[in-house]
Amino acid sequence: MKATTLLANSTITFGIIAVLCLATLHFVSSEMKPSFRMVSEYALGHHKWLITLFFSGLSGLA
């Protein structure tokens, strides 16, 4: 496998992980309204590990 293919596949995977984590956070964190809160405020709730995974996936896109 070429290096560019590997990098492209890993970028797509990290993007999917980030989107899935954010969508999951909207459903499992009922104490926060997503239209009125910043994404980073999810770190104050009960699902800190999920927001950490979201930001890790987001950093893999860079």
Side-chain angles (χ1 to χ4, degrees):
M1 189 179 281
K2 292 184 178 181
T4 55
T5 306
L6 181 64
L7 288 174
N9 288 338
S10 64
T11 301
I12 291 169
T13 303
F14 282 126
I16 290 171
I17 288 171
V19 169
L20 287 176
C21 286
L22 187 60
T24 304
L25 274 169
H26 286 319
F27 289 110
V28 298
S29 289
S30 59
E31 71 267 7
M32 300 235 184
K33 301 290 184 200
S35 58
F36 298 109
R37 302 288 183 190
M38 298 295 285
V39 174
S40 60
E41 289 187 34
Y42 282 112
L44 302 174
H46 299 292
H47 305 285
K48 295 176 185 178
W49 64 273
L50 200 53
I51 194 69
T52 303
L53 189 61
F54 164 73
F55 282 122
S56 298
L58 201 61
S59 69
L61 293 173

